[in-house]
């Protein structure tokens, strides 16, 4: 019997996501159940959006949860490198292999031609717009001539144009896709970088992945992957597409409706055990229906038969309730230790003291000064609410400005003092607001106060996650 080997393959393009933790948990539990291996592979082929800081945050968040891997970029292993950006030669070699086997072809179409084609298809209201196969039937001589001319090219999947591709999904049974509806996907870009599809399939094969357990949103890519396995002459892994986490309104979980960053939960003081317990309840149930369970108990009782496909709703209130049960499992001493370790620790205090040293005359003054550095949400007094909207601005102006600021903060791995100061200044200038009109609402939104230490430094200590949730809170307060 082959040993079970599973993986998560996150792309380091943003905050570590609860969805990644959810998929990681099910992979981890399945691997442990079967004495198998769990690996971490970083899919960073999108060079413009991937950043090492995001990768590090994914690693840190997974370690916080205790979902450790047997092979990965940080621990190595027999199938490395585990970062796709370091595997370029492997993909080039495999793209050539596919061309030789007739499963892929070189496409020399220019960007202009493709743009014109898209425009034509749009005008003609073509039902399934996509590549028209122009280069698919170039003769060997034509290809030779183009290569001699050093024309840039991409490599495309030679998708069969008739029939269907069957995906056998463990949770859904056989799912059929019409081949005519699947595009001749680009596999290798003109800069030699692979797309997700090629890199993902090649790596899953070379790394010996036996079960691909991933989110439902990838199922429409799977027929392309099945075709790739066939073209290479490789055995497919087993496909298991987990139901997507959803917002309350059943839409796909999104940062606009739910905090989705694991950093948010970590910094708010959720316990990793409660988080894992809650994620384990997303679409899966214990045989006895109990809601509070450990990962070890989940492993003991796990089977995919117990997964239900109706989209599980990620409900922060329910998670908070569950976390409360874990807090109450602590003895008072353990809780004190937890607070000393995770909140009132030396690192946090030393970040705050430089900011308030000038503002206190005796130690006890400290307490009244620093609530907003530790609290989650802040409340807005009538005075603060008034200061939130400068004289010549409307509620809508301010919430629009804060929404732009939210986008800026979202794009940063972390809030740093000098950097955020510069970005605030730039936004103020872009909006042509007077500095006084601009900085007061930002200050009030993130601290609940009209007077604080310098804004950039204060925001840096409060941190990205709290700044973000308070700005969201302020936007909500402006709307109500
Ligand atoms: N890189 C993909 C992601 O970010 C991996 C999807 C898969 O597991 O195949 O989720």
């Amino acid at each position: 019997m082959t040993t079970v080997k599973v993986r998560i393959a996150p792309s380091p393009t943003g905050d570590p996501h609860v969805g990644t933790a959810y998929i990681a948990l099910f992979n981890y539990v399945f691997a442990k159940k079967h004495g198998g291996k769990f690996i971490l592979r970083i899919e960073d082929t999108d060079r413009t959006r991937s950043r090492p800081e995001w990768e590090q945050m994914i690693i840190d968040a997974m370690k916080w949860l205790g979902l450790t891997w047997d092979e990965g970029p940080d621990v190595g292993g027999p199938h490395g490198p585990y970062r796709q950006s370091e595997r370029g030669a492997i993909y080039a070699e495999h793209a050539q292999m596919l061309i030789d086997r007739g499963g892929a072809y070189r496409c020399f179409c220019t960007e202009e031609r493709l743009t014109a084609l898209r425009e034509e298809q749009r005008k003609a209201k073509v039902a399934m717009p996509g590549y028209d196969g122009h280069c698919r039937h170039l003769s060997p001589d034509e290809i030779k001539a183009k290569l001699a001319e050093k024309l840039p090219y991409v490599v495309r999947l030679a998708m069969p144009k008739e029939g269907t591709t069957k995906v056998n999904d463990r949770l859904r049974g056989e799912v059929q896709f019409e081949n005519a509806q699947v595009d001749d996907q680009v596999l290798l870009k003109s800069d030699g970088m692979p797309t997700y599809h090629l890199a993902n399939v090649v790596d899953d094969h070379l790394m010996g992945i036996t079960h691909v357990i991933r989110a439902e949103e990838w199922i429409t890519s799977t027929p392309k992957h099945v075709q790739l396995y066939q073209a290479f002459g490789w055995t497919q892994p087993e496909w298991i597409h987990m139901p997507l986490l959803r917002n309350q309104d059943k839409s796909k979980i999104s940062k606009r409706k739910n905090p989705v960053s694991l950093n948010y939960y970590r910094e708010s003081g959720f316990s990793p055990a409660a988080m894992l317990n809650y994620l384990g309840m997303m679409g899966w149930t214990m045989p006895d229906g109990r809601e509070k369970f450990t990962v070890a108990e989940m492993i003991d009782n796990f089977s995919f038969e117990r997964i239900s496909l109706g989209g599980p709703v990620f409900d922060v209130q329910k998670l908070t309730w569950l976390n409360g049960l874990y807090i109450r499992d602590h003895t008072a001493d353990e809780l004190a230790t937890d607070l000393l370790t995770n909140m009132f620790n030396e690192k946090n205090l030393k970040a705050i003291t430089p900011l308030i040293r000038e503002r206190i005359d005796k130690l006890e003054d400290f307490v009244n000064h620093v609530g907003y550095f530790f609290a989650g949400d802040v409340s807005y007094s009538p005075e603060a609410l008034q200061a939130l909207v400068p004289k010549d601005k409307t509620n809508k102006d301010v919430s629009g400005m804060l929404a732009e600021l939210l986008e800026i903060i979202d794009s940063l791995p972390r809030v740093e003092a000098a950097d955020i100061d510069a970005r605030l200044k730039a936004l103020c200038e872009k909006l042509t607001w007077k500095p006084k009109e601009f900085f007061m609402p930002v200050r009030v939104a993130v601290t609940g106060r009209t007077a604080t230490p310098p804004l950039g430094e204060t925001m840096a200590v409060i941190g990205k996650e709290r700044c973000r949730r308070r700005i969201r809170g302020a936007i909500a307060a402006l709307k109500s």
Side-chain angles (χ1 to χ4, degrees):
M1 234 191 70
T2 46
T3 333
V4 163
K5 200 168 177 198
V6 294
R7 56 34 170 208
I8 50 162
S11 298
T13 54
D15 288 312
H17 200 279
V18 281
T20 303
Y22 167 59
I23 296 299
L25 172 66
F26 281 82
N27 274 281
Y28 178 88
V29 165
F30 182 69
K32 297 291 164 198
K33 173 101 203 167
H34 297 282
K37 292 221 177 323
F38 171 52
I39 79 174
L40 170 67
R41 180 175 73 231
I42 298 293
E43 300 209 327
D44 57 351
T45 53
D46 183 340
R47 299 310 292 152
T48 50
R49 293 175 58 223
S50 299
R51 289 174 65 162
E53 293 100 312
W54 298 127
E55 175 187 317
Q56 191 56 48
M57 280 188 198
I58 295 172
I59 291 180
D60 291 345
M62 292 300 130
K63 285 192 176 159
W64 168 64
L65 288 170
L67 298 173
T68 48
W69 41 93
D70 303 290
E71 298 170 27
D74 54 337
V75 293
H79 304 290
Y82 292 92
R83 212 174 266 123
Q84 290 187 327
S85 58
E86 295 166 18
R87 297 171 64 82
I90 299 174
Y91 308 126
E93 182 194 323
H94 282 81
Q96 185 60 50
M97 228 159 102
L98 273 181
I99 295 174
D100 295 342
R101 297 175 69 96
Y105 61 95
R106 290 189 180 84
C107 167
F108 297 89
C109 287
T110 59
E111 214 25 74
E112 293 75 66
R113 176 168 192 277
L114 295 175
T115 312
L117 176 66
R118 272 192 293 269
E119 188 53 19
E120 226 171 83
Q121 291 179 335
R122 196 183 58 82
K123 277 199 195 127
K125 299 205 167 71
V126 174
M128 267 304 299
Y131 184 62
D132 61 356
H134 182 264
C135 290
R136 189 154 170 177
H137 306 291
L138 293 177
S139 70
D141 284 342
E142 285 171 306
I143 295 172
K144 232 176 163 177
K146 288 181 190 292
L147 287 177
E149 261 186 82
K150 298 223 172 331
L151 292 182
Y153 63 85
V154 300
V155 176
R156 287 183 185 273
L157 173 66
M159 192 64 202
K161 286 298 149 215
E162 278 156 20
T164 57
T165 301
K166 297 183 179 74
V167 174
N168 263 310
D169 182 90
R170 171 89 161 247
L171 305 177
R172 293 168 180 75
E174 188 180 280
V175 188
Q176 295 213 20
F177 294 86
E178 295 290 332
N179 290 339
Q181 310 232 327
V182 182
D183 202 13
D184 282 3
Q185 176 71 49
V186 173
L187 300 175
L188 203 67
K189 293 180 271 185
S190 54
D191 62 1
M193 265 288 169
T195 58
Y196 156 71
H197 306 278
L198 179 68
N200 186 270
V201 164
V202 167
D203 287 349
D204 280 347
H205 174 73
L206 295 180
M207 294 177 181
I209 300 305
T210 56
H211 298 73
V212 168
I213 307 169
R214 63 182 168 197
E216 188 178 4
E217 61 191 318
W218 299 103
I219 200 164
T220 48
S221 296
T222 313
K224 295 174 188 169
H225 301 177
V226 168
Q227 286 297 335
L228 282 169
Y229 277 95
Q230 286 173 358
F232 278 119
W234 295 338
T235 311
Q236 291 175 47
E238 199 171 326
W239 306 107
I240 299 137
H241 289 92
M242 295 291 294
L244 273 189
L245 300 183
R246 311 232 164 225
N247 298 314
Q248 295 279 7
D249 61 8
K250 287 272 174 184
S251 56
K252 176 185 161 182
I253 194 168
S254 65
K255 66 180 176 204
R256 279 178 223 296
K257 302 197 173 145
N258 261 310
V260 293
S261 168
L262 292 167
N263 292 341
Y264 169 90
Y265 295 96
R266 182 179 185 174
E267 288 169 23
S268 305
F270 282 85
S271 93
M275 189 77 197
L276 290 174
N277 184 162
Y278 188 63
L279 290 172
M281 283 161 56
M282 297 284 95
W284 187 81
T285 44
M286 277 296 243
D288 61 4
R290 118 182 86 115
E291 292 195 298
K292 189 158 176 281
F293 52 85
T294 63
V295 174
E297 288 165 336
M298 186 173 172
I299 294 169
D300 281 345
N301 291 281
F302 188 74
S303 82
F304 280 115
E305 281 60 51
R306 302 203 55 79
I307 290 199
S308 81
L309 288 178
V313 172
F314 188 90
D315 175 354
V316 181
Q317 268 179 8
K318 178 105 193 232
L319 167 59
T320 307
W321 163 81
L322 189 65
N323 198 66
L325 301 185
Y326 279 80
I327 294 250
R328 284 180 280 288
D329 277 349
H330 282 355
T331 63
D333 277 1
E334 283 166 345
L335 184 55
T337 307
D338 210 2
L339 282 165
L340 285 172
T341 320
N342 294 314
M343 279 194 108
F344 305 111
N345 57 30
E346 199 171 322
K347 181 168 159 269
N348 287 346
L349 290 180
K350 284 190 172 164
I352 296 169
T353 46
L355 297 182
I356 51 106
R357 199 166 65 100
E358 302 295 332
R359 292 176 165 74
I360 65 172
D361 299 315
K362 43 193 189 330
L363 291 184
E364 67 181 7
D365 299 342
F366 182 76
V367 178
N368 283 334
H369 262 281
V370 298
Y372 63 90
F373 284 109
F374 292 104
D377 297 317
V378 288
S379 52
Y380 302 106
S381 64
E383 182 213 358
L385 272 179
Q386 209 178 10
L388 199 53
V389 186
K391 211 161 71 287
D392 295 329
K393 302 287 177 200
T394 62
N395 281 26
K396 205 161 156 248
D397 293 335
V398 176
S399 55
M401 177 274 277
L402 290 175
E404 280 200 51
L405 178 57
L406 202 52
E407 289 295 318
I408 293 172
I409 296 179
D410 260 342
S411 71
L412 306 170
R414 58 181 64 79
V415 173
E416 276 155 16
D419 176 70
I420 196 70
D421 272 333
R423 288 174 195 271
L424 288 171
K425 192 160 164 268
L427 179 59
C428 173
E429 280 165 11
K430 187 190 121 193
L431 297 172
T432 64
W433 285 30
K434 294 194 198 95
K436 220 177 78 195
E437 291 175 333
F438 177 86
F439 287 97
M440 183 54 90
V442 175
R443 182 183 308 282
V444 171
V446 296
T447 65
R449 295 185 166 217
T450 51
T452 65
L455 190 54
E457 288 168 62
T458 304
M459 287 176 73
V461 174
I462 290 173
K464 170 175 173 174
E465 289 305 326
R466 285 203 180 94
C467 284
R468 195 149 63 163
R469 80 192 257 191
R470 291 178 190 172
I471 293 172
R472 256 196 240 111
I475 293 174
L478 285 168
K479 280 192 182 133
S480 66

